Amino acid sequence: MSEPIPGPVAVLTGAGISAESGVPTFRGEGGLWRNFRPEQLATPEAFRRDPALVWEWYDWRRGLIDSCAPNAAHETLAEMEAALPDLTLITQNVDGLHQAAGSHNVLELHGNIWRTRCTGCGRVSEDRQVLLPEIPPRCPECGALLRPDVVWFGESLPLEVLDAAWAAAACCRLMLVVGTSAVVQPAASLPLVALRNGARLVEVNPAETPLSAQAHEILRGPAAEVLPEWWRKREP
Ligand code: OAD
């Protein structure tokens, strides 16, 4: 028998949802590149010091992501968006796999690895080239250095996106938290906002997180296995 889903629904995803697509998580095994931790490369200081090194890392990640396809968990969230009247997908991922799976209403808290932003004129462009012909790349308009259009440690999140995510978390009746270690702020606060406003919290993660103790339901397993199964029992 199917249990109805209370609406509106908010979903927060992290690197774990893309793990089964082959994209390494940040805090798990296999995420390291040349022995650098992401915190050493994903910063404005690292980019000022050595833009070529930071771009080599992004070029490597872009190549890796380009070879990955959305998995059953991304596809399930796209199906949920199509089937439910009010679902907001909030992601910390920059890989674009939610959109590739068919989700439309996606709030990207940390930007997108397939966009560049000019450090001179501010121009934002999509760039799907793998691998980049020039490292570090330069703006075709003004010649200044381009940077990935992502949020680095120590930087603010795009305000409009954060506001929309906050609003979705505050008004949802169900919050699904999928594949995030729930330790990076401000994203990690969104489930707490939902809880404070009386939402039901469902966590999807093979490992325990700081949120687990407060979750009403926990799907302990890889998202591509447990999320489709959970949705099949509930889809309207
Ligand atoms: P993390 O790498 O911190 O956490 C990944 C989470 O996914 C962990 O809790 C794993 O247990 C879980 N996980 C692993 N495999 C999974 C699977 N198959 N299915 C479901 N869950 C699985 O990634 P995030 O929480 O996304 O920020 O990290 C948050 C932010 O920290 C990132 O957006 C990035 C990073 O530094 C910036 O770059 C600004």
Side-chain angles (χ1 to χ4, degrees), residues 13-17 19-20 25-28 38-39 42 92-93 110 151-153 178-184 204-209 221-224:
T13 66
I17 195 167
E20 284 146 286
T25 58
F26 291 95
R27 289 168 185 80
E39 293 84 349
Q92 298 165 86
N93 299 345
H110 294 163
V151 176
W152 283 331
F153 287 99
V178 188
T180 176
S181 54
V183 293
V184 174
V204 183
N205 199 313
E208 193 169 338
T209 76

Side-chain angles (χ1 to χ4, degrees), residues 44-121:
E45 294 74 31
F47 188 70
R48 267 197 297 275
R49 201 168 44 239
D50 194 343
L53 176 73
V54 171
W55 263 114
E56 279 177 52
W57 180 53
Y58 277 96
D59 206 31
W60 170 76
R61 288 178 60 201
R62 286 161 57 106
L64 201 153
I65 291 166
D66 187 56
S67 65
C68 296
N71 64 52
H74 298 105
E75 284 158 7
T76 297
L77 293 180
E79 279 172 36
M80 287 176 66
E81 183 189 83
L84 299 172
D86 188 349
L87 180 142
T88 305
L89 176 49
I90 307 161
T91 188
Q92 298 165 86
N93 299 345
V94 297
D95 56 28
L97 289 178
H98 284 304
Q99 292 89 335
S103 286
H104 299 287
N105 188 15
V106 186
L107 297 174
E108 292 180 315
L109 290 175
H110 294 163
N112 189 297
I113 202 164
W114 299 111
R115 287 194 309 261
T116 59
R117 189 163 82 236
C118 179
T119 57
C121 66

Side-chain angles (χ1 to χ4, degrees), residues 158-195:
L159 202 59
E160 274 177 28
V161 179
L162 185 59
D163 279 352
W166 217 264
C171 77
C172 71
R173 305 308 306 146
L174 170 72
M175 174 139 223
L176 269 179
V177 182
V178 188
T180 176
S181 54
V183 293
V184 174
Q185 293 295 350
S189 292
L190 292 167
L192 305 179
V193 170
L195 274 174

Side-chain angles (χ1 to χ4, degrees), residues 33-52:
W33 176 78
R34 292 196 206 161
N35 290 329
F36 290 102
R37 289 192 316 276
E39 293 84 349
Q40 293 172 284
L41 295 168
T43 68
E45 294 74 31
F47 188 70
R48 267 197 297 275
R49 201 168 44 239
D50 194 343

